[in-house]
Amino acid sequence: AQKITQTQPGMFVQEKEAVTLDCTYDTSDQSYGLFWYKQPSSGEMIFLIYQGSYDEQNATEGRYSLNFQKARKSANLVISASQLGDSAMYFCAMREARGYGGSQGNLIFGKGTKLSVKP
Amino acid sequence: DTGVSQNPRHKITKRGQNVTFRCDPISEHNRLYWYRQTLGQGPEFLTYFQNEAQLEKSRLLSDRFSAERPKGSFSTLEIQRTEQGDSAMYLCATTKTGAASTNEKLFFGSGTQLSVL
């Protein structure tokens, strides 16, 4: 079973509008972390935002906010006031406390959503 | 802070040849990961090092793949007898581990794009 599911292969948004990118996850751990990364065409993965499973408030970082609904196991990324430079692939990722194969630290990624911002 | 550096950026090789990629981590980052990313997919874990020790390898890492991190600094990933299925972006990521593990963010390099003809 997939650990991270991103159901939107592609999204379009008008410049200056807000957009929500969906992410659902699957884990039996109580302690885990959720991340969003941006990957422009240059290839580098850029960290955007983090949400811990025990954090009661939704994380925010500038124009990025994470809509964390623990019971639904969803961690949607909200980008406000979209800019042309936001056009990129966006990946949701999870790290479980027990980690991959018993180790810690490995991030498990979804397949990504390609966001295109229209002028 | 010069970021995570990967070389080369692009590599084109013929099937059956050996290739080697290099990753230079951010200074003082003791944990280093290798990921592989194919078109339309998210990065997939290959292996990771804690200092110079290779602590885990994915089932994706066949016997033709080997990674090293001598002296706990830079790392190399070698693929022997390359196959067309090895064509992918190979990403390196590093972090400095602390007491808390779930919130450590990974810093990625720009990757090496491998094309096997």
Side-chain angles (χ1 to χ4, degrees), chain A:
Chain A
Q2 279 191 332
K3 292 265 188 179
I4 299 288
T5 303
Q6 294 181 254
T7 57
Q8 307 152 313
M11 288 281 286
F12 288 91
V13 65
Q14 201 70 36
E15 192 178 8
K16 300 181 184 178
E17 292 187 350
V19 63
T20 298
L21 306 183
D22 295 341
C23 172
T24 57
Y25 59 92
D26 182 26
T27 181
S28 57
D29 279 9
Q30 295 301 310
S31 177
Y32 52 88
L34 297 159
F35 299 75
W36 277 92
Y37 279 82
K38 171 184 178 181
Q39 188 178 40
S41 56
S42 60
E44 183 177 354
M45 300 283 282
I46 302 167
F47 167 78
L48 296 178
I49 197 166
Y50 164 82
Q51 179 85 41
S53 58
Y54 292 118
D55 295 341
E56 294 187 352
Q57 290 195 333
N58 288 340
T60 60
E61 292 281 351
R63 294 187 299 110
Y64 304 108
S65 60
L66 199 151
N67 184 359
F68 181 46
Q69 298 189 40
K70 196 170 182 176
R72 294 185 178 183
K73 293 188 175 178
S74 76
N76 298 339
L77 177 70
V78 180
I79 305 174
S80 62
S82 296
Q83 302 172 357
L84 296 178
D86 293 336
S87 295
M89 286 292 293
Y90 288 80
F91 291 95
C92 180
M94 176 175 66
R95 174 185 289 123
E96 296 167 307
R98 287 180 303 156
Y100 175 88
S103 67
Q104 293 181 344
N106 179 32
L107 283 181
I108 303 166
F109 287 85
K111 292 186 176 183
T113 295
K114 183 174 183 179
L115 178 66
S116 300
V117 180
K118 298 187 288 185

